[in-house]
Amino acid sequence: MSDGAAQDATRLRADLAALRDGAALSSLDDQALLAARGDDRTSFLQGMLTNDVARLVPGQGTYALLLTEQGRPVAELVVLALRDALWLETAAAARPRVREALERYVVADDVELEDVAACGLALRGPRARELLAAAAPAHAAAIEALGECEHVEIEHGGATHHALRTRDACVDAFHVWSADAAARDALAETLRARGACRVGDDALEVQRIVAGWARSDVDYGPQTLAAEIPSFGRAVSYRKGCYLGQEVMERVAARGHVNWLLVRLTADPASSFSAGARVKDGDDEVGRVTSVARPPDGGAAALARVRAAVAETGRRLVVEDGGGTVPVVLTTIPVQE
């Protein structure tokens, strides 16, 4: 291993240690906020999203999906209830299509959708709560009391920030939204001074893939059924009543299975392959690799969309990439609740 590669591996180990044992700091430039306002905002979104929005009071939130009528994901969301609005946190690339899809169904409803101008940071790991509370001591008790998807306004450096507690790639996390980059960066510096470690995108990607957390436009897209994605489980209520795409979701639930499923693949330390590579069972192509990460201790960790018939933990398959084949072991991903 070259000196540069050894340094990269050392840094990646340190970043992963911060995520799993400490507090890892990164920007939320890949996320964005959309606000729904108007007297009918709650009833409108209750009929559009997969989870129970009507039960939320200010300070609460929930995971949800926006689906097509065919049960295919438009976007994954976190819905936050404020006094005068519902905020929808989603991938930045997905915000325009979420807005377009929702506005298509606004007819006589008193609902207005608008982009929220905000800059975000993420603080992930088991020490995240402790460090955020220390950075905003006047709000420490409120931060400490937050349950998953709950949120609160906090003050730091004369600016107001909105802090959401969430679970991100199987890691306890806070997403903090600020009015501008200067306020966000000042908070980030305070967190770093108290022990948070700024981590790179490669560490976040390794954690995401090892945890089996699907990414929009990478692991799923317009041809994917939402029920194929295990990390979506927490975002769907089967008790709330009607919503867009519910008929397909209920039909899949009644049948008890899907034809395709997102799974994890692992390979030996010397192995290498790329996203898009074919997954094969003998001579039969049974899927495609969607994401690949290189953990610092070697090998490959990947996500793949495969036929449900082969989705059995411990099953040995091969990945065909560039004319060569790599043996892999499949692991199913637990449904997130």
Side-chain angles (χ1 to χ4, degrees):
M1 182 182 292
S2 67
D3 289 345
Q7 291 173 358
D8 287 346
T10 298
R11 178 190 54 77
L12 183 53
R13 287 189 189 92
D15 286 359
L16 288 169
L19 276 166
R20 296 165 181 173
D21 303 315
L25 183 65
S26 61
S27 75
L28 277 178
D29 292 343
D30 61 344
Q31 296 288 106
L33 295 173
L34 182 67
R37 303 185 188 279
D39 290 344
D40 297 333
R41 63 186 184 273
T42 300
S43 59
F44 173 72
L45 289 176
Q46 180 74 355
M48 294 296 297
L49 304 182
T50 59
N51 218 336
D52 191 354
V53 177
R55 66 178 173 79
L56 301 179
V57 299
Q60 293 181 339
T62 188
Y63 305 111
L65 303 174
L66 174 62
L67 304 179
T68 67
E69 292 179 355
Q70 295 75 35
R72 305 186 188 279
V74 176
E76 186 176 12
L77 310 164
V78 184
V79 183
L80 308 181
L82 284 71
R83 289 186 299 276
D84 60 349
L86 290 168
W87 277 5
L88 309 178
E89 181 187 287
T90 191
R95 182 169 67 176
R97 66 176 180 256
V98 169
R99 182 169 181 171
E100 179 183 1
L102 291 175
E103 286 178 337
R104 188 181 308 133
Y105 288 91
V106 176
V107 182
D109 307 274
D110 179 13
V111 179
E112 295 181 3
L113 300 168
E114 61 184 43
D115 295 347
V116 177
C119 299
L121 64 81
L123 188 65
R124 303 176 174 94
R127 295 192 64 209
R129 187 198 300 262
E130 168 198 341
L131 295 192
L132 185 60
H139 306 277
I143 292 168
E144 292 282 356
L146 288 179
E148 196 167 345
C149 282
E150 293 181 344
H151 51 102
V152 67
E153 285 190 350
I154 62 173
E155 302 289 330
H156 176 272
T160 300
H161 310 262
H162 211 96
L164 158 70
R165 186 184 172 206
T166 184
R167 189 156 180 81
D168 193 342
C170 290
V171 176
D172 197 21
F174 288 84
H175 289 183
V176 185
W177 292 96
S178 310
D180 55 55
R184 177 197 63 186
D185 293 348
L187 176 59
E189 285 306 309
T190 297
L191 292 168
R192 289 184 68 185
R194 292 185 174 276
C197 174
R198 188 174 292 278
V199 301
D201 291 342
D202 53 352
L204 299 175
E205 189 71 348
V206 168
Q207 176 62 28
R208 180 186 76 80
I209 291 171
V210 170
W213 224 258
R215 172 172 286 178
S216 173
D217 303 319
V218 175
D219 303 299
Y220 64 90
Q223 302 307 312
T224 312
L225 287 175
E228 297 172 13
I229 308 299
S231 58
F232 284 174
R234 64 184 186 170
V236 179
S237 169
Y238 290 95
R239 300 182 300 274
K240 59 157 282 186
C242 296
Y243 59 85
L244 194 66
Q246 183 198 25
E247 182 179 346
V248 176
M249 295 294 289
E250 293 286 354
R251 188 161 62 243
V252 170
R255 191 173 60 189
H257 73 278
V258 288
N259 293 327
W260 296 85
L261 197 62
L262 192 73
V263 300
R264 279 187 295 239
L265 303 177
T266 54
D268 292 336
S271 303
S272 178
F273 52 86
S274 304
R278 294 177 174 85
V279 182
K280 301 188 76 173
D281 183 20
D283 294 331
D284 298 329
E285 182 176 325
V286 295
R288 292 288 181 120
V289 174
T290 58
S291 294
V292 180
R294 303 292 303 182
D297 296 318
L303 298 179
R305 183 173 182 256
V306 303
R307 293 193 178 278
V310 303
E312 178 183 337
T313 292
R315 185 146 189 167
R316 296 186 178 275
L317 304 169
V318 297
V319 171
E320 188 176 83
D321 192 12
T325 59
V326 176
V328 295
V329 178
L330 183 151
T331 306
T332 57
I333 302 167
V335 174
Q336 295 296 316
E337 300 293 347

